[in-house]
Amino acid sequence: MSVAVIPMAKDLGWSATERGLVSSSFFWGYSLTQVPAGYISTKIGGVKVLMAGVALWSFGTLIAPPAAHLGIWALCATRVLVGLGEGFAPSAATSVLAWQVPSTERSRAVTTVWGGLDVGSAVGLLLSGPLIRMYGWPSVFYLFAVLGGIWCLLWPLVRPQLQDPLMQQQAAVAGAVPRVLQSSVGAEASSSAAAAEAIVDARIAAGSMD
């Protein structure tokens, strides 16, 4: 949108205020989902939330060109949808990484994911200019909407809901530690109780002899 808004404003006769309104609409939606995104990702899993977010912002991107011809407020509504979808991405992606990547490799994975986000943004900006020049500004929206739809189709095929085997082993060890400690504490408690009972019995016996 940061590139397409210039030819859109020229074709549709927007003022500078209307351009700013369209550009800021994304952040209305983005800010609304930042807080609930983490909670929802924890409850139902980042895999589903990430896919839903990508589907939502791809849909908002797809309907942006016809919405722009309907009016400024219709276009703003599509940008809010895009922001709502993208607002779920950071928390959902972090949840997926926590589920899939062992702790020893997590820093590298986070760097790769968020670095890839920046690279993708840069590539998108570089492609937008030539696309607009050759096919018009709607082509940018349609291309990235289709790419988002393809991603949603391919995402389940990588089986992201399956936990990494090393993560499973770490979870099993982490779950076994409390049980071992509980058993140890229980054994110590039983031993202490038996010792206390023996002392009481000895004192009773000594008292009866007196």
Side-chain angles (χ1 to χ4, degrees), residues 9 12 23 32 34 61 69 72 104 123 143 160 162 181 183 186 196 207:
L12 301 173
S23 298
L32 287 175
Q34 287 293 295
T61 303
H69 290 287
I72 192 76
T104 55
V123 172
L143 173 63
L162 298 181
L181 292 175
S183 300

Side-chain angles (χ1 to χ4, degrees), residues 107-122:
S107 297
R108 186 187 312 164
V110 170
T111 301
T112 302
V113 169
W114 300 121
L117 176 64
D118 294 333
V119 171
S121 298

Side-chain angles (χ1 to χ4, degrees), residues 13 22-24 36 45 71 86 91 102 106 111-112 142 144 154 173 178 189 204 206:
V22 170
S23 298
S24 64
E86 290 200 23
S91 297
R106 203 164 292 159
T111 301
T112 302
Y142 293 137
F144 291 115
L154 296 178
V173 171
I204 293 175

Side-chain angles (χ1 to χ4, degrees), residues 13 36 39 50 55 66 70-71 81 86 88 111-112 157 172 192 197-198 201 207:
Y39 176 79
L50 183 58
L70 290 177
L81 286 179
E86 290 200 23
F88 283 107
T111 301
T112 302
L157 300 182
S192 298
E197 186 177 354
D201 291 341

